[in-house]
Every structure is written in C-alpha cells, then in structure tokens.
Amino acid sequence: MWPRGNAHLAGRERPRGRTRQRPRPDRRGRSRTLEHVQELHDAPLAPLTTFRLGGPATRLITATTDAEVIAAVREADDSGTPLLLIGGGSNLVIGDKGFDGTALRIATEGFELDGTRLELAAGEVWTDAVARVVEAGLAGIECLAGIPGSAGATPIQNVGAYGQEVSSTITEVIAYDRKAHETVAIPNAECDFSYRHSRFKADPDRFVVLRVRFALEDAQGMSAPLKYPETARTLGVQAGDRVPAAVARETVLKLRAGKGMVLDPEDHDSWSAGSFFTNPILSEDEFTAFHARVADRLGPDVAPPAFPTDDGRVKTSAAWLIDKAGFTKGYGEGPARISTKHTLALTNRGGATTEDLLALAREVVAGVRDAFGVTLVNEPVTVGVSL
C-alpha cells in the first residue's frame, strides 16, 4: 500500500477537491453526515494501485472512520451510484477508461492488541501490522510479512504466503451488510474460507469489511511451526520447527524482495499485483490429463509440481506452468512484461496501459492452455475490464 492521506497526490495538480460536511437523508428519512471527508472529482486512481494503472473515477471519497465508510456506502446504494472500494490497491486492475461512479478509499486506522487478541481497522497497512505483532512477541502471521495492501482486504482473498493464511488466525470479521443495512460480526466458520477465496469474494457487492479480529499465539517470541519448505530450508531447519518470530519475518521479507514481491518505488518488478494468477487446483482426472500433456511436451521423466488438497484434488504451480510454457522471467517487449524476478508477476515497466497488461495476461493464459490444457485464473480484481 502506498503512503496514506494525501501523499498519493504529491507533485500532482489536484482535481477539483474539497473537504466539507454535508448532511444527507437516507431512504427512511433519517439524516446522516459524511463528516469532513475528502472528496475529489475526476480523480486519478492509478496512483492508488500498485500497478499504477487505470483511468480516473468520477468521484473519489476518502473515509477515515467506520461511520464515514458506512455513510458513503449508503449514499451510493441509495442513489444507485456504482461503488468501487479501494484499500491498498495491491489487488486491483482498473481499466484505462477509469470508473464511472464513486470510488471509496478506506483509510481507517486502528490497531488494538489485548493479550493475544488483535483487532485491525480495515485501512491499516497490513505489513506494518505484522511488524507490530512480531515486535509484541506473538505468532501466527509472521510469514505474511511484506504482503502489500490493507488489513480489510486480507479476509476477502484469504491472503496467504509461505505456509500461512489469515483464515487460520481470524476469529471474526466486522462488516457493513449492504443488503441488511446493518453492521454485522461474521465468525470465522461463516466466512467460507478456502484457497484465495471467501464469502466476501464470492459476494463482493454485499459486505464492506470494517474491522478484522485475530487470535494469535504467545509462543514466547517464537514463530508458529514453519510449514513452507523454502522458508525452513533457507533457515536451515526442518518443516514444523519454530524459530524466533522476528527471524521468520525477516527471512520472508528477504525471500519476497528477491522475487520483487516487496513494494519498492524504484523497482519496476514490484509495480505489480504480486502473483497475477492463482495456483490451479485440478480434479484427479484433470491432473491425469495434465500429467500426460507434461510428458508429451517435456518428456516422461518430468514430474509437475503436485500438492494434494484435503478434498482429494491436486494443486499445481502456476509459476511452473508459465515458465514451462515458454514465458520466462522478463518475457515481453512492451511496457508490460513478466517480472525479471518471478514468472508469476506481471509488471508495469513504466508507461504501460491496462490494455498492455491485459494483452500480456491473455497471451500467457492462451499459451499455458495450449501447452498443458490448464486455464489460469487471474487473482487481482478487474474493474471495467476482463481477461
């Protein structure tokens, strides 16, 4: 997530913006107020995304309290205005024409730690929150360090990396229910978490995440048991071992930086949405057919990555598929190319358009499908465009 407040407009001529207090009646005749919100018109959205791509929004509101978030959502819903929610902008692909409606930037703040219980406001910078948790000596999210974006986005995608997912520590999500017109607390069991998916992602127009609550572990400054082989191997320990949580966090940050997965304004490999495609999960029959395609293309001795899932299916590696289909690191000739550090990241080398990015994504999807019969699915949310 890029700097908060007005920093994203630094060095730019500001669109017609104003800060004001306006009472607005809802459909039931009650009055409500968007207090001192920042409102901009014909507002650039590209600076609010890690891709730095996309056209302007008709209107951009920045909300810094839960009440302002709810009021802005209700106003849009009551008037039938299309609404785009923006947190850290690390998982958004916005079309070059922009967004014809109200973009709501959620910039709420709140970090409350009570023993092992953590509550984060949706607008909190996720990687900063991870650092504070590790500093407090608690375990459970240390391997999620360096993931860009806001805390409110983590349950939507069921964010995960290096052997951890937020679904293992989230206890409940506080959200505004746009259908019931009320704030609700949704316990973990009702979030329908699965690989990079949740109830919130399945029904994106219903819930607006306001706060996320976690139950962490007091392991006397040690990490949770390491699950990811690369992390354990880098640290010289076995999977299942614990290491100091701060060491686990620093190791993950170094691994991510080596793949261009830590935000750096000077590194175009980080002008991306991180992993652009999810790892395919195949049925037994689909995996058998895929394995045969691998043997035909790469030889009978080549075994593709295979990770059995709890439901009897098999997960394979999108990065492996992309590479073996001929799309290697740095692939591309235009301003949108595959990262020079990781084949799973599509990047803006500077001066790219969203159409440049989508053309590359479509080429990769078609190439992998032709080579292996597997269709890749994009992980970022697309706005006004599609693959």
Side-chain angles (χ1 to χ4, degrees), residues 91-111:
N91 204 45
L92 278 180
V93 177
I94 299 173
D96 293 316
K97 292 183 179 179
F99 183 69
D100 185 11
T102 295
L104 172 59
R105 179 170 173 264
I106 299 176
T108 53
E109 297 183 358
F111 178 103

Side-chain angles (χ1 to χ4, degrees), residues 10-341:
R12 293 178 173 270
E13 180 180 352
R14 297 193 182 193
R16 291 179 289 115
R18 52 192 175 277
T19 300
R20 60 186 182 179
Q21 180 173 335
R22 302 181 303 162
R24 296 181 179 274
D26 65 14
R27 287 178 296 187
R28 297 177 178 83
R30 295 189 299 246
S31 64
R32 59 178 179 271
T33 304
L34 286 172
E35 296 182 354
H36 305 297
V37 297
Q38 180 193 78
E39 179 179 323
L40 304 173
H41 294 266
D42 193 25
L45 295 181
L48 300 183
T49 74
T50 52
F51 264 124
R52 291 155 162 99
L53 296 177
T58 305
R59 178 182 181 222
L60 171 66
I61 291 176
T62 298
T64 58
T65 68
D66 289 353
E68 288 176 356
V69 171
I70 294 170
V73 172
R74 284 178 172 170
E75 179 193 73
D77 289 347
D78 289 351
S79 62
T81 303
L83 180 67
L84 172 64
L85 303 176
I86 300 178
S90 59
N91 204 45
L92 278 180
V93 177
I94 299 173
D96 293 316
K97 292 183 179 179
F99 183 69
D100 185 11
T102 295
L104 172 59
R105 179 170 173 264
I106 299 176
T108 53
E109 297 183 358
F111 178 103
E112 297 180 18
L113 190 59
D114 181 10
T116 58
R117 301 288 176 175
L118 171 68
E119 179 176 293
L120 295 176
E124 280 292 320
V125 179
W126 173 253
T127 193
D128 291 350
V130 173
R132 293 178 69 178
V133 165
V134 170
E135 185 178 352
L138 300 177
I141 59 174
E142 61 279 355
C143 291
L144 301 178
I147 295 177
S150 60
T154 60
I156 297 172
Q157 286 287 114
N158 185 18
V159 164
Y162 294 94
Q164 290 182 343
E165 289 182 329
V166 292
S167 57
S168 345
T169 52
I170 287 177
T171 57
E172 62 182 357
V173 176
I174 310 302
Y176 175 68
D177 185 337
R178 297 168 70 181
K179 182 178 179 180
H181 309 293
E182 63 181 4
T183 300
V184 295
I186 304 173
N188 181 294
E190 296 178 15
C191 291
D192 298 337
F193 287 125
S194 60
Y195 172 66
R196 300 298 176 272
H197 200 70
S198 70
R199 176 181 185 179
F200 312 104
K201 187 174 181 180
D203 194 0
D205 294 328
R206 179 164 180 181
F207 297 104
V208 179
V209 176
L210 301 174
R211 295 183 175 270
V212 188
R213 292 172 177 163
F214 303 81
L216 304 170
E217 179 188 5
D218 184 355
Q220 305 300 309
M222 302 298 282
S223 70
L226 298 175
K227 296 181 179 179
Y228 201 68
E230 183 182 16
T231 313
R233 186 170 57 250
T234 301
L235 287 165
V237 299
Q238 299 296 314
D241 288 349
R242 295 177 184 262
V243 298
V247 172
R249 173 180 172 272
E250 288 300 324
T251 300
V252 165
L253 286 173
K254 289 177 182 177
L255 288 171
R256 291 184 65 87
K259 299 172 184 178
M261 298 291 187
V262 175
L263 295 184
D264 179 353
E266 304 303 319
D267 181 5
H268 283 279
D269 280 329
S270 74
W271 290 29
S272 74
S275 299
F276 195 87
F277 301 102
T278 57
N279 290 322
I281 300 179
L282 309 175
S283 68
E284 185 176 345
D285 289 344
E286 289 170 337
F287 187 80
T288 299
F290 163 56
H291 199 288
R293 295 283 287 268
V294 171
D296 289 342
R297 183 180 178 91
L298 303 176
D301 297 330
V302 176
F307 309 96
T309 64
D310 293 338
D311 60 4
R313 296 184 294 169
V314 181
K315 181 165 66 175
T316 191
S317 166
W320 187 91
L321 287 166
I322 293 167
D323 181 70
K324 298 305 181 185
F327 302 99
T328 54
K329 295 175 184 176
Y331 178 88
E333 297 180 355
R337 303 179 195 175
I338 290 178
S339 167
T340 65
K341 300 182 180 74

